Amino acid sequence: MIPATFSYARPTTIDEAIALLTKHGSGAKVLAGGHSLLPAMKLRLAQPEVLIDIGRIAGLNTIAERDGRVVIGTMATHAEIESSALVARACPLLGQVAARIGDAQVRNRGTIGGSLVHADPGADFPAAILALDAELRLASPRGSRSVKAAAFFEAMMQTVVQPDELLFEITVPKTATSAAYVKSEQKASGFAICGVAAIVDAQAKTVAVGVTGVASKPYRATAVEAALRGRALTPDAVAAAAALAANGVEPLGDIHASPEYRAHLAAVNTKRAILKAVAQG
Amino acid sequence: MHLHLIYQLPAPRERVFAAMTDPAVLQRCIPGCEQMIKDGEDSYEAHLQVGFAGLKGKYRGRARVEDRRPPESYTLTVDGKGAPGFVRATSRMCLGEKGEGTEVICDADVQIGGVIAAVGSRLLDAAARKMADDFFRALSRELTPMSAAQ
Amino acid sequence: MVNPTKHVGQPMKRVEDPRLIKGIATYVDDLRLPGMLHAAFLRSPHAHARIRRIETGAAKAMPGVVGVFTGADVNDQCGVVPCAAAIPDLKAPKHTVLAGERAYFAGHPVAVVVAQNAYVARDAADAIDVDYEPLPVVTDPERAIAGGSPLTHPELGTNVAYVHSVSSGDIDEAFRGADRVVRQRMVHQRLTPMPIEPRGCVASYHPGDQTLTLWSSTQVPHLVRTLLPGMISVPENKLRVVAPEVGGGFGAKLNVYAEEALCAHLAMRLGAPVKWIESRRENAAATIHGRDQIGEYEVAVTRDGRVLGIKARSVADLGSYLQLLTPAIPTLTGLVLTGCYKIPAITMEIVGVYTNKMATDAYRGAGRPEATYLIERLMNLIADDLKLDPIEIRLKNFPQPDEFPFHTATDLQYDSGNYQAALKEAQRLADWPALVRQRDDARAAGRLFGIGVSTYVEICGMGPSKAMPAGGWEWGCVRIEISGKVTVITGVSPHGQGEETSFAQIVADRLGVPIGDVVVLHGDTNIAHYGRDTYGSRGLVVGGPAIVMCIDKIIAKASALAAHLLSVSVDDVEFRDGRFVEKKKPDNSVDWARLAGEAYIAKNLPPAFEPGLEASSFYEPENFTYPFGTHIVAVEVDRETGDVKIVKYVAVDDCGVQINPLLVEGQVQGGIAHSIGQALFERTVYDENGQLLTGEFMDYPLARAHDIPDYVMGSTVTPSPGNPLGAKGVGEAGTIGATPAIANAVMDALGPLGIRHLELPLTPERIWRAIGQHAGVAAG
């Protein structure tokens, strides 16, 4: 459990971090909470030449309200999101998801930004940020840009973040309480075999469903959403629509869950998440 | 792990076959390939920097072309190793005519060992597909008429 | 008289805990010696390969590297890894400390680097280039003994290590007389012990004294001291083995490993201390695994549910080579297969098989969890087939309390027992009628709710020397220091069991001294010269009586001194509450401080009285002990996902007299946590190429806090007549009683769907598939 040699930099501003990323290119890795990166380094599966620790950049863990949206700094830990009064009031789904991540130690160190950029297919937050239509704000030498959650994840552990870019904040719209996260966890790692985040808008008669853990990248269950648009959310209607939760995706299979079981859980957890969201509304 | 992959390439079979067995082309097209040295008849030594997302390792290995039947098919065996473990792959490559171009069907058996087997197995399938996709995308660029002008 | 229950029987907090909780305990990795070097092992990534060439030049050239050693450099200077199990006609490979011509499991050490720090050592190990020629691999033990299988060891000509048979009673008669034969195939999955502290050692050689000290994270410092001289050229009396703080073992550290011998050898060879600390991944791959038995079982029963006989044939996967007790573990299964029942005839054939996997060996319970799972599942299957109540069928086959000592068909003598009482107490604590109503109501509502019962008996207090490979006695020493303080030295080697506390309780009561005046030392062969260490729930049961013997000797000796000091005859002296008192004149007395002072200053001793107040003893148990109990579990299964939720857990364990009920409860709770993992999710997975897929906590699921239900804990007390403490041992009870209870509960929940038996672990997916199949709907 000894990593290969690396050098370590600890910038104090975003600009400084971007300059370091620009200088070191793909040889550099950004260290946020380190809960995925450090184990990979200790196993020598990851051997970055430079580690850029963004933990000392002031303000990166801020959780605040701005322009009618909730803004979450990339270094906000799962525990901070779980216990934030603002999140509980203005976007409770994120708090619910944060509470289901790993265990207390992981939640105290792990960060939302680190989790999103690492893009583990079993990570919990992606389900929520997809359902919430979050915007992810990236800084680079070219300035900053916003990426919609739906466009952020490219493939397993791959996102649109370029080697010289840094995800610095996530913004989500304020949402009502009609939201729920239902998760089946991989017993060893605590990652999701299937995690479903659902948001129900009773007035607009729409649901938004984000699914993680099932496929190589998280996705919106658009078939489910379409089937329920404008419909009354009765248990039967929801169950029928939820059966479409893995439509068009190629489910992952491993020693913890077969593709068929993941697809099945997608349907069950989607049904449960929507009904739970309805019940909370 | 078994992979069954199909790719379309914009060139006739003879050219595709030649490109796919040319070390210089391979070095350019294999993702992370730093060196590809021909060290025998149909045998190459390769130094690769294989990366998948943040997980990146240095591998060195030997590739062999066997059972060569130009321009229809050959078998590629790859034997690579690095600190995180080893990768051994045998892939039957079949080239078929498809319109103006070529359809390559590869049937590969991939075996991994060491740390990458223990903790990287869930990534392997995706990583192998991505590497193959990247390779054929690069090869396709290499074979399109435009690239000749560059 | 002394007050033997002032501390004994009290739930006292462990004296060990403050240092552990504060992080100021000393584990192997905390040791820093001047000039200490660090070792790193290069391990085969292949499950089976010929080693054609090892290129070490680049590694040797790295700054900070002191040496790089391969099998060719060390195997002729270190003996082979020892196996102490005596099995007739055992075929065994010669397992050298580093791989020779072949590596035969993924994780097999191929080379070792010694460097000035652990970082350089690891880098250099990566720089070693090994040319492997992969060879055919076998990982499935049943395939391994079928025709045409690759051979794990071609030189043996077979993958069969041994065939062991247990047979007693007239099995043919039993099956002829049966109304019914119940059959089931059952698989005991492979498990990884995963102690929180991996292995590790520091070896230091003193060239002047020619002595070697080995600090090792081991359960068995004395066994290591006995066996290491056979591997390296240091005589036993020049060898000191120390087990410092040890962070769990569960059997995985009941062994002598190649790495220990190699570090010792290299420390001598290089003239500097050598440290090696195992990584988690190495621990998963190259520290012993447990269980891994597959069997076919047949039970002959009468119509009313009496068991007449059992026929069993099991295949035990030994892995690729033999560690200390590898081949013996499956034979223990045969020994207790009759469980807590009167079963007149049994035959069991065990085939030990080599495969290209890590060796199996003793893991918490070692052979008994396998047996208990088998018999307890079989009892439920019999009840199902005969439409009898699972409780009733157990009661029907239990020996009566007045039949103890009870002689089993497998030639064991169960010392004492009252299985009916434990079962009844568990039913009381579970509020049985209410639990059954809860199940009925749940079922009526279409829910999958099940109740499982397991009754068990196990073998503890290992053990009588005639039945143990290398002596089963225990040694102890008690010394009243000149100050009157008491030092206790034990040959057992606690690593979580809490004997620093429980032995102090016994000693404080029997000597009548404040418990704070008693210190218990262990785990250093220069202090505890002899011992047989800690495993098989023997610490208290065998180690404790040795201490009691010492106390008796000291009191007898002190009585003579007291009589002399009190100017009365020995017959007139009585020992009472820590004082020696003249019976007729109670104010004429001496205490331990005065006695000790006189005993050591030695100016006023009776004639022929040896100075000092110290005694040591070897205690030889006549028999094993046989604790027992009943566990009752209620579960609810999620019909849609297959998830199992434990709704109620009741454990009633009878481990004889309890010295410290808090320690008993802790041991049982920890054991149940292991069992929950085994029953519901733990399994060690190798792929068909012999690659270990559960090499990290990322993929090997241990039970976590949120998996643990609220336990209802109870006990009955049936003293063991075999030792002066009446204790039976409790280190493994939880792992033995709990797994079948949970499995029986899940199968009870699924019973209404027509599901008869599922293999462990009962993962949600396995249950979901079974539900799908039995609902007539293709799963997926």
Side-chain angles (χ1 to χ4, degrees):
Chain A
M1 297 299 276
I2 292 174
T5 308
F6 61 91
S7 52
Y8 173 81
R10 200 166 64 195
T12 54
T13 65
I14 292 178
D15 288 345
E16 208 185 317
I18 299 294
L20 284 163
L21 279 171
T22 308
K23 181 176 165 199
H24 297 289
S26 62
K29 279 296 286 180
V30 172
L31 175 67
H35 268 49
S36 291
L37 179 58
L38 297 188
M41 287 172 65
K42 287 180 177 181
L43 290 166
R44 301 198 169 197
L45 282 170
Q47 301 189 14
E49 287 147 27
V50 187
L51 214 50
I52 302 172
D53 182 352
I54 59 169
R56 300 293 174 95
I57 300 177
L60 276 189
N61 66 339
T62 307
I63 300 174
E65 206 174 331
R66 193 172 71 209
D67 305 331
R69 291 175 74 88
V70 180
V71 181
I72 295 169
T74 196
M75 286 298 286
T77 64
H78 310 322
E80 285 165 349
I81 295 169
E82 179 185 0
S83 61
S84 160
L86 173 62
V87 168
R89 191 173 66 243
C91 189
L93 177 62
L94 279 181
Q96 278 192 50
V97 172
R100 293 299 314 273
I101 298 172
D103 47 36
Q105 292 93 324
V106 169
R107 293 195 291 275
N108 283 334
R109 291 291 304 171
T111 63
I112 186 168
S115 169
L116 293 175
V117 176
H118 185 63
D120 189 292
D124 294 283
F125 271 130
I129 71 145
L130 281 166
L132 286 163
D133 278 325
E135 292 200 6
L136 297 99
R137 312 226 325 128
L138 310 173
S140 76
R142 299 169 295 284
S144 69
R145 64 169 174 145
S146 258
V147 179
K148 288 271 190 199
F152 185 74
F153 302 101
E154 289 194 316
M156 183 182 286
M157 301 177 94
Q158 306 212 350
T159 68
V160 297
V161 180
Q162 297 303 300
D164 62 354
E165 276 186 315
L166 181 74
L167 170 68
F168 65 95
E169 68 182 25
I170 298 100
T171 81
V172 294
K174 290 209 265 182
T175 41
T177 53
S178 313
Y181 183 60
V182 173
K183 172 184 181 179
S184 302
E185 69 168 15
Q186 198 258 59
K187 281 304 301 180
S189 68
F191 276 107
I193 280 172
C194 170
V196 178
I199 302 168
V200 172
D201 186 331
Q203 285 176 338
K205 289 202 165 185
T206 59
V207 299
V209 178
V211 183
T212 190
V214 173
S216 60
K217 66 170 185 171
Y219 63 93
R220 281 281 285 262
T222 49
V224 178
E225 296 174 358
L228 289 174
R229 195 163 294 135
R231 297 275 302 275
L233 299 178
T234 62
D236 286 347
V238 170
L244 308 172
N247 260 24
V249 305
E250 198 178 325
L252 295 172
D254 57 24
I255 60 168
H256 304 289
S258 67
E260 306 85 72
Y261 186 57
R262 277 190 163 88
H264 169 74
L265 287 178
V268 172
N269 290 351
T270 296
K271 178 185 75 179
R272 292 180 178 185
I274 295 173
L275 291 176
K276 196 171 163 195
V278 169
Q280 286 182 355
Chain B
M1 183 189 64
H2 187 83
L3 284 173
H4 178 78
L5 302 165
I6 302 173
Y7 295 94
Q8 314 295 335
L9 292 163
R13 281 204 295 182
E14 289 71 12
R15 264 193 73 205
V16 173
F17 193 98
M20 285 176 72
T21 51
D22 175 348
V25 175
L26 292 177
Q27 185 175 334
R28 284 199 295 277
C29 296
I30 294 174
C33 183
E34 294 173 340
Q35 236 182 348
M36 177 72 87
I37 305 157
K38 186 165 170 138
D39 66 350
E41 185 61 30
D42 281 339
S43 172
Y44 311 96
E45 196 194 315
H47 289 248
L48 295 167
Q49 172 91 250
V50 180
F52 184 67
L55 313 179
K56 197 169 284 184
K58 278 187 167 42
Y59 294 82
R60 58 191 185 288
R62 172 152 289 112
R64 268 195 199 85
V65 172
E66 288 161 352
D67 199 9
R68 174 195 268 275
R69 290 181 201 162
E72 281 153 22
S73 66
Y74 67 97
T75 299
L76 179 69
T77 62
V78 177
D79 204 340
K81 58 186 173 184
F86 69 84
V87 179
R88 294 157 53 79
T90 305
S91 179
R92 186 74 194 155
M93 312 291 247
C94 292
L95 286 65
E97 288 176 346
K98 187 106 183 214
E100 307 263 291
T102 304
E103 180 174 79
V104 180
I105 299 174
C106 69
D107 271 295
D109 278 307
V110 184
Q111 214 193 96
I112 53 171
V115 180
I116 45 178
V119 295
S121 61
R122 72 199 177 112
L123 302 176
L124 179 73
D125 188 82
R129 278 170 204 277
K130 179 165 162 51
M131 269 191 81
D133 288 353
D134 290 351
F135 169 75
F136 281 101
R137 200 175 302 133
L139 189 65
S140 175
R141 269 199 301 276
E142 184 88 26
L143 291 168
T144 48
M146 294 253 299
S147 68
Q150 281 174 1
Chain C
M1 282 308 296
V2 297
N3 177 358
T5 57
K6 189 174 169 196
H7 299 100
V8 167
Q10 301 303 313
M12 300 188 70
K13 286 188 179 173
R14 304 198 322 160
V15 298
E16 294 91 337
D17 285 341
R19 68 174 188 262
L20 300 174
I21 291 167
K22 289 179 191 165
I24 51 172
T26 305
Y27 293 87
V28 171
D29 201 15
D30 296 315
L31 298 171
R32 307 268 185 280
L33 301 184
M36 188 169 74
L37 302 173
H38 297 260
F41 286 86
L42 178 71
R43 295 176 185 275
S44 170
H46 294 273
H48 197 190
R50 179 164 292 112
I51 299 170
R52 283 192 288 230
R53 190 178 49 82
I54 306 178
E55 182 52 57
T56 58
K60 281 178 177 158
M62 291 172 75
V65 171
V66 175
V68 180
F69 304 89
T70 67
D73 303 318
V74 297
N75 285 347
D76 59 350
Q77 297 184 48
C78 287
V80 296
V81 173
C83 173
I87 304 270
D89 303 321
L90 177 67
K91 287 196 169 65
K94 194 177 149 197
H95 185 74
T96 50
V97 288
L98 289 178
E101 291 174 358
R102 288 182 306 126
Y104 37 76
F105 69 100
H108 197 162
V110 167
V112 57
V113 176
V114 182
Q116 279 162 358
N117 66 56
Y119 296 84
V120 171
R122 178 70 175 81
D123 286 346
D126 276 3
I128 298 169
D129 186 13
V130 185
D131 185 5
Y132 294 102
E133 176 191 338
L135 297 172
V137 169
V138 61
T139 58
D140 174 348
E142 290 181 306
R143 222 198 116 214
I145 53 174
S149 166
L151 293 177
T152 307
H153 299 288
E155 72 274 17
L156 300 181
T158 172
N159 285 321
V160 176
Y162 66 87
V163 178
H164 174 84
S165 292
V166 179
S167 193
S168 180
D170 191 337
I171 197 74
D172 295 331
E173 172 60 28
F175 277 77
R176 264 197 305 275
D179 295 320
R180 188 93 176 230
V181 174
V182 176
R183 296 186 175 82
Q184 185 62 48
R185 172 187 161 91
M186 286 190 249
V187 178
H188 239 278
Q189 79 267 38
R190 183 173 275 243
L191 299 167
T192 310
M194 293 280 192
I196 194 72
E197 185 205 19
R199 291 185 293 135
C201 60
V202 175
S204 178
Y205 186 67
H206 192 294
D209 301 344
Q210 298 179 319
T211 54
L212 182 92
T213 303
L214 179 74
W215 289 266
S216 182
S217 182
T218 181
Q219 295 172 230
V220 288
H222 294 94
L223 288 184
V224 172
R225 182 168 176 264
T226 300
L227 291 164
L228 212 54
M231 301 178 73
I232 55 168
S233 51
V234 173
E236 188 181 2
N237 55 3
K238 296 272 192 183
L239 177 61
R240 174 186 175 202
V241 180
V242 185
E245 208 75 68
V246 174
F250 312 122
K253 295 174 185 170
L254 159 51
N255 237 305
V256 180
Y257 283 99
E259 291 90 345
E260 291 171 312
L262 256 172
C263 287
H265 168 72
L266 292 171
M268 291 191 284
R269 189 157 166 170
L270 299 171
V274 174
K275 178 193 261 190
W276 168 68
I277 300 296
E278 186 181 54
S279 71
R280 179 55 59 190
R281 187 174 150 64
E282 285 180 296
N283 184 263
T287 290
I288 63 102
H289 293 160
R291 319 273 197 264
D292 212 343
Q293 279 191 44
I294 303 170
E296 307 279 349
Y297 307 92
E298 292 176 79
V299 192
V301 285
T302 61
R303 196 167 293 112
D304 63 349
R306 269 186 314 115
V307 179
L308 303 176
I310 303 177
K311 273 190 214 171
R313 181 175 190 278
S314 86
V315 173
D317 189 336
L318 306 179
S320 62
Y321 71 100
L322 305 178
Q323 277 285 354
L324 191 62
L325 298 169
T326 300
I329 303 305
T331 66
L332 283 173
T333 304
L335 219 48
V336 276
L337 188 55
T338 54
C340 39
Y341 307 110
K342 292 172 77 168
I343 300 175
I346 179 170
T347 163
M348 181 165 190
E349 184 189 77
I350 298 158
V351 184
V353 176
Y354 291 116
T355 59
N356 294 109
K357 298 191 282 192
M358 179 58 200
T360 51
D361 203 316
Y363 167 51
R364 203 167 188 177
R368 289 98 86 205
E370 294 90 320
T372 307
Y373 174 72
L374 296 173
I375 187 67
E376 290 303 304
R377 277 297 298 136
L378 288 168
M379 292 308 274
N380 268 40
L381 291 168
I382 295 164
D384 287 351
D385 282 10
L386 298 175
K387 309 236 177 315
L388 292 173
D389 181 70
I391 301 265
E392 190 187 314
I393 191 175
R394 285 174 168 80
L395 287 168
K396 191 162 282 173
N397 287 283
F398 281 163
Q400 296 303 312
D402 62 6
E403 290 181 76
F404 288 89
F406 175 74
H407 198 87
T408 72
T410 53
D411 210 15
L412 298 175
Q413 183 94 354
Y414 290 174
D415 54 349
S416 62
N418 186 340
Y419 304 156
Q420 293 84 349
L423 175 59
K424 206 169 157 193
E425 175 65 1
Q427 285 189 293
R428 187 185 71 80
L429 290 172
D431 196 353
W432 185 260
L435 199 58
V436 171
R437 270 198 307 279
Q438 197 180 347
R439 175 177 62 186
D440 292 345
D441 292 348
R443 283 187 179 164
R447 284 151 52 206
L448 301 175
F449 191 101
I451 303 172
V453 176
S454 156
T455 52
Y456 73 90
V457 60
E458 61 140 333
I459 313 177
C460 283
M462 303 208 171
S465 294
K466 60 181 186 291
M468 304 293 290
W473 45 263
E474 195 44 78
W475 177 88
C477 171
V478 175
R479 184 163 66 233
I480 316 286
E481 307 282 2
I482 193 167
S483 60
K485 303 277 185 193
V486 181
T487 302
V488 177
I489 307 170
T490 175
V492 301
S493 194
H495 48 280
Q497 293 80 2
E499 272 99 0
E500 288 177 38
T501 308
S502 57
F503 281 9
Q505 289 175 265
I506 294 167
V507 171
D509 281 358
R510 290 189 180 240
L511 289 181
V513 298
I515 194 164
D517 283 357
V518 183
V519 164
V520 179
L521 303 178
H522 58 83
D524 180 340
T525 63
N526 269 16
I527 295 172
H529 307 125
Y530 266 97
R532 292 291 85 167
D533 309 311
T534 290
Y535 54 86
S537 299
R538 70 189 303 280
L540 178 70
V541 181
V542 192
I547 302 300
V548 171
M549 287 168 73
C550 295
I551 293 169
D552 291 347
K553 285 183 191 170
I554 285 182
I555 290 174
K557 182 176 181 185
S559 294
L561 179 57
H564 174 75
L565 296 173
L566 297 173
S567 305
V568 295
S569 87
V570 172
D571 296 339
D572 292 331
V573 175
E574 183 177 78
F575 180 56
R576 185 195 298 164
D577 289 336
R579 298 185 75 82
F580 290 83
V581 180
E582 185 183 344
K583 285 178 189 169
K584 291 179 194 141
K585 264 173 51 191
D587 52 344
N588 187 29
S589 69
V590 290
D591 63 7
W592 283 112
R594 165 92 198 281
L595 284 166
E598 297 289 357
Y600 288 98
I601 292 163
K603 295 187 193 305
N604 183 17
L605 299 179
F609 188 92
E610 281 183 36
L613 268 183
E614 176 183 305
S616 65
S617 297
F618 285 82
Y619 169 71
E620 170 67 41
E622 280 177 22
N623 188 4
F624 297 103
T625 55
Y626 295 90
F628 58 90
T630 298
H631 288 207
I632 295 177
V633 184
V635 302
E636 180 150 7
V637 174
D638 186 319
R639 192 185 281 269
E640 284 186 310
T641 63
D643 281 309
V644 175
K645 184 175 163 50
I646 297 176
V647 178
K648 186 160 217 165
Y649 200 107
V650 176
V652 171
D653 296 278
D654 190 325
C655 57
V657 174
Q658 299 187 7
I659 307 303
N660 184 332
L662 192 63
L663 292 181
V664 169
E665 193 171 326
Q667 287 290 322
V668 175
Q669 288 200 9
I672 298 172
H674 265 129
S675 269
I676 288 172
Q678 178 177 357
L680 298 180
F681 34 80
E682 277 185 50
R683 61 186 183 126
T684 304
V685 183
Y686 283 91
D687 72 10
E688 69 280 9
N689 299 313
Q691 293 297 329
L692 179 65
L693 301 184
T694 47
E696 295 285 341
F697 285 132
M698 185 82 182
D699 291 297
Y700 190 84
L702 289 181
R704 294 192 287 181
H706 68 248
D707 297 309
I708 308 299
D710 286 333
Y711 300 127
V712 180
M713 314 273 301
S715 57
T716 56
V717 175
T718 309
S720 172
N723 66 67
L725 296 169
K728 289 191 167 189
V730 74
E732 294 145 299
T735 41
I736 290 168
T739 306
I742 299 167
N744 281 340
V746 174
M747 298 322 298
D748 185 48
L750 299 175
L753 301 176
I755 299 168
R756 174 183 158 88
H757 177 76
L758 295 176
E759 301 297 359
L760 304 181
L762 295 162
T763 60
E765 177 162 359
R766 182 167 280 164
I767 291 170
W768 167 71
R769 284 186 182 278
I771 291 173
Q773 280 156 8
H774 284 77
V777 179

